[in-house]
Amino acid sequence: MPSLVHKLVIIAAADGILLQPSPLRNQRSGAGLQISYRTNSITPLGEDQTDSSKGSKTLEAHGIVGLFTVASSSYLIAISSRQQVAQIRGKPVYVITGVNIIPLSSQSDAKKAIELSTASSKKAANRASAGLASDSDALEDDNEDTEHDQAFNTEDDDPTIPHTPEADKSEVSASQGAGEKSSSVVQDVIGRKGQYGRFAEKWFSKKGWSVEKRRMQGMSEADSEESGNNSRKAPGTENTVASEDFPDTPTKASDKQDQREESKEAQADPSAVADNLTPKLLKTTKMLLSSHSFYFSYDHDITRRLGTSQTKNSDVPLHKLVDPLFFWNRHLAISFIDAAQHSFVLPLMQGFVGQRAFTVNTESEDPSRTVAAAKENVGEIIELQNNASSAKEFSASPETRDFLITLISRRSTLRPGLRYLRRGIDSEGNTANYVETEQILSEPSWNPSARIYSFTQIRGSIPLYFTQSPYSFKPVPVLQHSYEANHAAFRRHFTNFINTYSNVQVVLLVDKQGVEAKIGEEYEKHTNELNNESGINGIKLGFEWFDFHNICRGMKFENVSILMDSIGSIISEFGTTIEKDGKIQRGQTGALRTNCMDCLDRTNVVQSACGQRSLEEQLKYEGITLSLQADTSTQWFNTLWADNGDAISKQYSSTAALKGDYTRTRKRDYRGAINDFGLTLSRYFNNIVNDYFSQAVIDFLLGNVTDRVFSEFEADMMSGDPAMSMRKVRQSAIDTSSKIVIADQDEDFLGGWTLLCPRDPNTLRTFPFEEIVLLLTNTAIYAVRFDWNMEKVAGFERVELKSIVGIMKGIYITSTLAAAQTDEERNVGFVVRYRPGQKDVARINTRSLSTAVVPRREEFDEARRNREGGGRAEAEREGADDQGGQDDEALRDLQKRMTTACDLEGSSAPTDLPAESKSKANPKDIGKSIELKTLAFKALPADSSFASVNRDGSEGQDLTEKRMVQMVCEEIAKAIGGDALGGKRVVTREGLVRETGGIVEEGDIISLAEARKSTGLLEQLGHSLKKLVWA
């Protein structure tokens, strides 16, 4: 395969970033590249360009991760530091310990970033020479708070990020580079923006708080914007700091005017939200890639297990040979792939790689004393492989043999993410925290004539749809979707599994009592049903439920041996893959699939026990009897698996694994329990604070979402799951609802849509808004409340078409807390007004043999509260009371503004009014005696952050929100038998010209000004606190 670039020089030239490969030993340097500013186009580097760049500041890198674009800014990610962790078949394997992020906006920005990175490297070298660190790689990794990180980790330090006081920052950076600290306290807090930067800016700046407050109240922001903190400069221009915050810094009047104009544009542009969160994105990206979690090799494919590596072809680049399931930076490297610059495409794998070397006494009769010596130091192990004389010294006696054990864990790129934000399965059969772990036994020399053994096992989340709340120490698993949907995904998962590994033995470690029991029983039920269906291609699933916590109660983890006795014969039956002389002598015929709830702590203990048993069998095949459990000198094996467990745990839960003391020492005591408690608290904090944004960044870097995910994050402080095809889910909900709620077979089903609706009937703005299904027949509309978790109808309201007296469509803004929520082009909806008739009814699903007819709002609310639970319902009832006055006022205002067909014609009574009521009522008062009711609907976001095309290419382009509302209103109007718009024009009391005489009218439902007035101070404060914590 073509040689990859091992080392390169990055230069900020006039037209773009230059990537010039450094020559390898005894080789000429390869052709360089230029990445153009703004356009990001990649072109080969000419000799004249190389000559013209001489004398420029340069930055050395060990490879390119890729590049990405967020909003209007693009960035190049380069590997600044690495550490060799292993050597396989003579090929080094590295872990990334640091990255540089270079802006691609202009030469000045790129040059400044390169200078800061170079200064950081020099400072690290000085520290190393002073004896403050052991090696350059460690220094670069420890240097998290240097000027280099300040260039990208904080909001006011990167010259390409909005709100950056560039001139001031350069002075601060220069002084820091000299080891000085001359800035004021306020300047430090606001300029550097640490964890509490946004909070500090509001309270220490004279204008900081008023910016937020004025925007929420719909007031002018001109005065606030003069501070300069919310200005948005074009890349490459000079930003200034407002004199109100830093009196020593002048502010030009022309700059103030530009800042005001740019701030208005930023509010209208959704990409401005992504710009505002770019500093946090860059910081999180750097932290993620520098977390010692990403591994690579220039010359060896570490993504494929033994026996599955593709045939080596000198013409095929490495990125085409690797397993795409474990190719983590493919989306970031796509620009280089499309440009056919294969030597710059360095595949990264997330997971773990580690090695241990050990020597066994071949003539020992005591299995517990077979291991004579072991090496755990990486440098010694690599030297052992490289130096034949070292190997001989290591095996000084002819009665001993040297072995090398290599452990590789590969995390899947499908359904990736963090603990409670990615659980269970998706519709394609992919599960969260899916990791393939391979244990390889070989000689240190990797002698082809000697046998090489490989044992592979799998961990992955329970293959069912379920969620767990991150706000609890012991969260209850909540099953989602129907049994049929779960079984379809379950079957798809194991079909993929068996196609890959030939056979499967499930090892389930959840509790048989308590909150975990239900999901364990569902897992077992689906397994039995699949086996009753003759399995997958005639292969049935093995299933072993081991109640880990109960059997190992009292920290007696040695009781895992009970499980080993139970599945030991299956491990032996599956065997291992054996290679000799470059050929596969036998292959592993199946794989263990182990999981607990998180697939971390209990799973680590069991997988290490399985790896231990496999190693003993492999050595036995070599004629060596070894008992790792009884041998007290086998800590080297335990620490290898413990390091693996910690790595996987940090990538999924942001902390080391629990029960690590037992994995390392095979002993459990109170100190380990105390350590586990601390790790549990750490996990809890990460679950509720850090993980939401980190999850959005992971999805963005993998290409699963667009940068719109950051607009969604700003609005909700969380992001959706891109693995769920909402188009399919919503269509299924429409189909299910139409079959259940349309009872009269004479009704013709005309259409169905999913829309947002206020929580309570007959209101405009009660939170939270619910996604409902709207059905239309030739005689009625149905507003269906749908249980999206269980895929069942929770209740519905039926309104006869002849009861409808008018429809208004227009701007429908329900919140002003985020930029996306104030966009008048996207926040639209419609309101249906009707007079309740005899055949109009509301029903709810009581989960019993009958349904409840709920004709009044109060009873509907009470039934819903009973269904959802007392505590939460009571809180919602109080919340509804608090905002009820504002909502009723908005509803009355809307009713006054709506000019309906019924009002124009004299408010005649409904034709289906009971005869008894008609005879008793005064004909003139019939229309007035029946209060008009309202159904309000708001369009769902037409385009989300999710990728717009599925693998089957079925997604396509969605309708805009306005077009969706218009289409639904037109369909309802046609079914009623009237025109959507028509009749004469009238001037309302507000001076607005409206169309009358038609069914549908144009008008604001809730305008931006009204929404701002109704956004209370507590609501603003609550959102600001959420932003402080999560954003």
Side-chain angles (χ1 to χ4, degrees):
M1 60 185 177
S3 176
L4 296 183
V5 173
H6 288 51
K7 200 170 186 179
L8 68 149
V9 175
I10 302 175
I11 307 169
D15 299 327
I17 293 287
L18 307 185
L19 306 181
Q20 180 61 54
S22 300
L24 298 176
R25 186 176 301 174
N26 301 324
Q27 293 184 12
R28 295 180 58 187
S29 62
L33 297 179
Q34 174 178 286
I35 306 176
S36 300
Y37 299 124
R38 305 286 187 176
T39 63
N40 300 339
S41 62
I42 299 175
T43 56
L45 192 61
E47 293 184 4
D48 56 337
Q49 293 172 300
T50 304
D51 294 337
S52 64
S53 65
K54 291 182 178 179
S56 302
K57 289 277 188 178
T58 63
L59 179 67
E60 289 188 347
H62 298 285
I64 298 298
V65 176
L67 58 86
F68 67 92
T69 300
V70 55
S72 58
S73 304
S74 298
Y75 301 88
L76 175 72
I77 308 175
I79 300 172
S80 62
S81 58
R82 67 188 182 184
Q83 180 180 344
Q84 186 173 351
V85 294
Q87 187 166 287
I88 301 176
R89 300 182 187 271
K91 310 298 183 183
V93 178
Y94 300 93
V95 63
I96 296 177
T97 58
V99 296
N100 289 324
I101 303 180
I102 312 297
L104 299 175
S105 52
S106 67
Q107 182 183 19
S108 61
D109 293 339
K111 185 177 179 180
K112 187 169 185 179
I114 289 175
E115 289 174 350
L116 290 173
S117 298
T118 304
S120 173
S121 299
K122 289 180 178 179
K123 186 173 181 180
N126 293 335
R127 290 176 60 192
S129 62
L132 298 178
S134 58
D135 56 63
S136 59
D137 285 330
L139 285 167
E140 289 176 290
D141 182 62
D142 292 339
N143 195 27
E144 290 295 332
D145 295 322
T146 61
E147 296 91 335
H148 172 247
D149 287 328
Q150 291 170 12
F152 305 106
N153 286 4
T154 59
E155 205 166 297
D156 286 330
D157 287 332
D158 188 347
T160 66
I161 297 175
H163 323 310
T164 304
E166 185 176 3
D168 181 75
K169 181 187 67 178
S170 62
E171 295 174 5
V172 174
S173 298
S175 64
Q176 287 176 343
E180 301 174 3
K181 294 183 179 179
S182 58
S183 59
S184 67
V185 175
V186 176
Q187 192 169 350
D188 273 345
V189 174
I190 298 177
R192 293 174 186 166
K193 285 199 177 163
Q195 183 176 1
Y196 305 103
R198 286 179 173 82
F199 176 80
E201 180 181 25
K202 285 182 171 58
W203 287 101
F204 288 130
S205 167
K206 294 181 180 180
K207 297 296 184 180
W209 181 257
S210 62
V211 171
E212 188 82 6
K213 186 174 180 180
R214 286 171 176 270
R215 185 175 71 82
M216 293 301 182
Q217 297 296 338
M219 299 167 65
S220 171
E221 300 177 16
D223 295 336
S224 301
E225 288 161 356
E226 291 178 4
S227 67
N229 285 334
N230 292 323
S231 64
R232 187 174 170 210
K233 288 289 185 179
T237 61
E238 198 76 17
N239 290 327
T240 58
V241 184
S243 58
E244 290 87 344
D245 291 334
F246 304 110
D248 297 334
T249 307
T251 304
K252 298 179 181 179
S254 58
D255 290 341
K256 295 181 181 179
Q257 180 63 28
D258 293 340
Q259 291 165 3
R260 285 195 291 269
E261 295 175 358
E262 289 167 357
S263 179
K264 293 178 182 178
E265 293 176 3
Q267 272 196 341
D269 184 7
S271 66
V273 177
D275 274 337
N276 294 335
L277 288 174
T278 295
K280 190 174 180 67
L281 166 62
L282 297 179
K283 178 180 179 180
T284 306
T285 299
K286 181 178 177 64
M287 179 184 66
L288 177 68
L289 293 173
S290 304
S291 61
H292 292 242
S293 298
F294 290 90
Y295 298 80
F296 67 91
S297 175
Y298 299 109
D299 309 298
H300 181 74
D301 181 4
I302 61 174
T303 66
R304 294 186 182 273
R305 64 190 187 279
L306 190 71
T308 63
S309 298
Q310 297 186 6
T311 304
K312 293 183 179 179
N313 189 323
S314 59
D315 297 329
V316 180
L318 179 61
H319 72 85
K320 292 186 178 181
L321 296 175
V322 299
D323 190 335
L325 185 64
F326 308 116
F327 187 178
W328 270 76
N329 63 318
R330 188 184 189 285
H331 177 69
L332 296 175
I334 195 66
S335 298
F336 295 91
I337 295 174
D338 292 343
Q341 299 297 333
H342 305 303
S343 61
F344 286 87
V345 182
L346 180 62
L348 303 183
M349 178 198 77
Q350 189 182 41
F352 174 79
V353 180
Q355 285 184 325
R356 297 290 188 272
F358 63 99
T359 302
V360 297
N361 187 344
T362 57
E363 297 185 357
S364 174
E365 297 181 358
D366 185 356
S368 65
R369 298 181 178 274
T370 301
V371 177
K375 289 183 182 290
E376 298 185 56
N377 181 272
V378 175
E380 292 179 355
I381 295 172
I382 294 172
E383 184 181 2
L384 174 64
Q385 298 182 64
N386 288 336
N387 197 323
S389 61
S390 296
K392 290 180 180 179
E393 292 174 5
F394 189 62
S395 298
S397 171
E399 291 83 17
T400 61
R401 284 187 62 182
D402 301 335
F403 287 98
L404 180 71
I405 183 171
T406 304
L407 195 63
I408 305 175
S409 284
R410 310 172 178 102
R411 294 198 78 213
S412 171
T413 59
L414 302 178
R415 195 153 180 73
L418 302 172
R419 200 180 179 203
Y420 287 128
L421 305 183
R422 291 295 178 267
R423 308 293 265 177
I425 201 168
D426 64 18
S427 58
E428 298 297 322
N430 306 307
T431 58
N433 201 22
Y434 184 89
V435 182
E436 176 188 88
T437 299
E438 179 183 20
Q439 179 179 284
I440 303 172
L441 178 67
S442 66
E443 291 187 353
S445 62
W446 295 90
N447 187 353
S449 61
R451 297 185 186 92
I452 300 175
Y453 300 86
S454 167
F455 175 70
T456 301
Q457 48 186 327
I458 308 299
R459 74 176 73 193
S461 190
I462 293 176
L464 297 172
Y465 292 108
F466 75 97
T467 61
Q468 285 179 283
S469 169
Y471 302 107
S472 172
F473 277 112
K474 192 69 173 177
V476 178
V478 178
L479 289 166
Q480 293 182 309
H481 305 310
S482 65
Y483 183 88
E484 293 74 20
N486 273 277
H487 195 69
F490 185 89
R491 169 178 279 277
R492 191 170 291 114
H493 171 76
F494 281 105
T495 298
N496 297 335
F497 192 102
I498 289 175
N499 288 340
T500 304
Y501 303 106
S502 302
N503 214 324
V504 59
Q505 170 64 42
V506 173
V507 179
L508 180 62
L509 305 176
V510 303
D511 300 343
K512 291 187 176 182
Q513 304 291 331
V515 298
E516 298 178 356
K518 183 177 180 180
I519 195 167
E521 292 166 357
E522 286 295 311
Y523 195 173
E524 187 173 33
K525 185 186 302 183
H526 283 281
T527 300
N528 293 334
E529 180 172 339
L530 188 61
N531 288 337
N532 292 336
E533 298 168 354
S534 300
I536 305 295
N537 300 326
I539 300 175
K540 295 186 177 182
L541 278 59
F543 188 87
E544 182 74 23
W545 190 346
F546 181 77
D547 190 344
F548 187 98
H549 283 153
N550 183 49
I551 298 174
C552 299
R553 187 183 303 276
M555 299 189 293
K556 296 179 180 179
F557 292 166
E558 63 273 14
N559 290 345
V560 171
S561 59
I562 299 173
L563 174 63
M564 292 297 101
D565 293 339
S566 178
I567 64 173
S569 59
I570 298 174
I571 296 176
S572 301
E573 181 183 341
F574 287 167
T576 62
T577 298
I578 303 176
E579 178 188 304
K580 187 176 182 181
D581 296 324
K583 298 180 180 179
I584 301 299
Q585 291 188 335
R586 66 157 294 177
Q588 186 173 330
T589 59
L592 297 175
R593 189 196 188 282
T594 309
N595 70 267
C596 45
M597 286 307 303
D598 296 328
C599 309
L600 295 178
D601 313 316
R602 289 170 280 183
T603 299
N604 292 333
V605 174
V606 171
Q607 281 202 338
S608 65
C610 294
Q612 174 182 298
R613 182 184 180 94
S614 176
L615 178 60
E616 291 173 353
E617 291 188 350
Q618 292 165 356
L619 290 172
K620 189 174 183 180
Y621 197 78
E622 291 290 318
I624 299 170
T625 303
L626 174 66
S627 175
L628 290 171
Q629 182 67 35
D631 194 340
T632 57
S633 66
T634 57
Q635 185 177 357
W636 53 271
F637 180 85
N638 301 335
T639 57
L640 178 63
W641 271 95
D643 290 346
N644 173 74
D646 285 347
I648 301 303
S649 180
K650 287 176 182 177
Q651 292 157 21
Y652 191 52
S653 69
S654 304
T655 72
L658 307 184
K659 306 174 180 64
D661 56 326
Y662 177 79
T663 308
R664 293 180 185 276
T665 65
R666 297 299 170 189
K667 295 179 181 179
R668 180 68 163 168
D669 57 23
Y670 72 93
R671 286 170 293 190
I674 293 174
N675 182 64
D676 285 356
F677 179 71
L679 292 175
T680 300
L681 292 177
S682 237
R683 286 184 181 181
Y684 182 71
F685 175 80
N686 287 319
N687 293 338
I688 64 176
V689 176
N690 295 333
D691 285 357
Y692 289 101
F693 189 81
S694 298
Q695 181 65 61
V697 173
I698 291 172
D699 287 330
F700 175 71
L701 295 178
L702 284 171
N704 296 331
V705 298
T706 66
D707 60 6
R708 185 176 286 275
V709 71
F710 302 112
S711 296
E712 296 176 1
F713 177 83
E714 191 209 32
D716 303 324
M717 297 301 150
M718 60 183 63
S719 59
D721 186 349
M724 300 298 295
S725 174
M726 292 310 299
R727 180 184 292 270
K728 294 179 181 178
V729 171
R730 287 165 178 156
Q731 185 58 51
S732 175
I734 293 171
D735 295 339
T736 300
S737 300
S738 62
K739 293 175 183 177
I740 293 176
V741 306
I742 303 176
D744 191 346
Q745 296 183 355
D746 293 333
E747 288 189 51
D748 296 329
F749 177 59
L750 302 179
W753 305 271
T754 54
L755 301 160
L756 292 174
C757 183
R759 184 198 63 183
D760 295 330
N762 206 38
T763 61
L764 295 180
R765 191 176 178 267
T766 48
F767 296 107
F769 269 57
E770 300 175 350
E771 187 171 344
I772 60 100
V773 176
L774 177 64
L775 303 177
L776 174 64
T777 70
N778 61 328
T779 60
I781 61 171
Y782 297 81
V784 183
R785 306 274 174 168
F786 200 76
D787 187 332
W788 297 94
N789 288 334
M790 301 306 297
E791 293 186 346
K792 294 180 179 179
V793 173
F796 70 91
E797 185 170 359
R798 182 183 188 276
V799 177
E800 289 268 308
L801 293 180
K802 55 189 175 182
S803 298
I804 296 175
V805 297
I807 301 173
M808 175 177 282
K809 66 182 180 73
I811 297 171
Y812 194 176
I813 296 178
T814 56
S815 177
T816 61
L817 299 176
Q821 297 171 332
T822 60
D823 188 345
E824 296 181 344
E825 293 295 317
R826 303 188 65 206
N827 290 272
V828 293
F830 64 97
V831 173
V832 177
R833 289 185 68 202
Y834 67 98
R835 296 189 188 279
Q838 187 177 17
K839 296 183 179 180
D840 297 333
V841 67
R843 289 182 178 271
I844 65 164
N845 188 347
T846 62
R847 311 289 185 187
S848 63
L849 294 178
S850 63
T851 57
V853 180
V854 189
R856 296 194 306 274
R857 170 182 171 181
E858 292 77 8
E859 296 178 13
F860 187 94
D861 290 346
E862 189 63 32
R864 178 181 51 75
R865 292 182 184 115
N866 291 337
R867 185 178 73 248
E868 294 181 352
R872 176 183 170 190
E874 190 64 31
E876 289 185 349
R877 190 189 327 225
E878 293 175 1
D881 292 341
D882 291 340
Q883 68 179 25
Q886 292 180 345
D887 190 73
D888 290 343
E889 182 180 352
L891 185 59
R892 286 193 298 269
D893 180 68
L894 176 68
Q895 291 174 342
K896 290 178 182 178
R897 291 188 286 111
M898 285 185 69
T899 306
T900 64
C902 184
D903 294 333
L904 293 173
E905 294 171 7
S907 300
S908 58
T911 57
D912 60 347
L913 193 68
E916 183 180 356
S917 299
K918 288 182 181 180
S919 62
K920 294 181 180 179
N922 187 333
K924 295 181 180 180
D925 297 328
I926 289 179
K928 299 178 182 178
S929 62
I930 303 177
E931 181 184 357
L932 288 175
K933 289 194 174 184
T934 302
L935 286 175
F937 304 98
K938 183 177 179 180
L940 288 163
D943 56 336
S944 70
S945 61
F946 301 165
S948 59
V949 179
N950 279 342
R951 293 175 182 174
D952 57 4
S954 62
E955 282 291 350
Q957 185 67 34
D958 289 325
L959 294 172
T960 65
E961 292 86 352
K962 275 191 173 182
R963 182 70 187 99
M964 169 64 73
V965 168
Q966 181 180 348
M967 181 184 68
V968 175
C969 291
E970 288 176 352
E971 291 296 323
I972 297 176
K974 290 178 183 178
I976 294 175
D979 295 328
L981 286 172
K984 61 182 180 180
R985 291 176 179 268
V986 298
V987 179
T988 66
R989 285 175 294 179
E990 293 84 0
L992 300 176
V993 178
R994 300 193 182 281
E995 296 280 357
T996 63
I999 297 297
V1000 183
E1001 299 180 77
E1002 292 274 3
D1004 294 347
I1005 299 171
I1006 299 180
S1007 66
L1008 179 58
E1010 292 171 332
R1012 280 175 169 162
K1013 291 177 182 177
S1014 61
T1015 302
L1017 182 60
L1018 288 178
E1019 192 175 352
Q1020 298 173 34
L1021 181 60
H1023 186 75
S1024 295
L1025 289 174
K1026 288 172 65 177
K1027 289 181 69 176
L1028 173 64
V1029 174
W1030 283 287

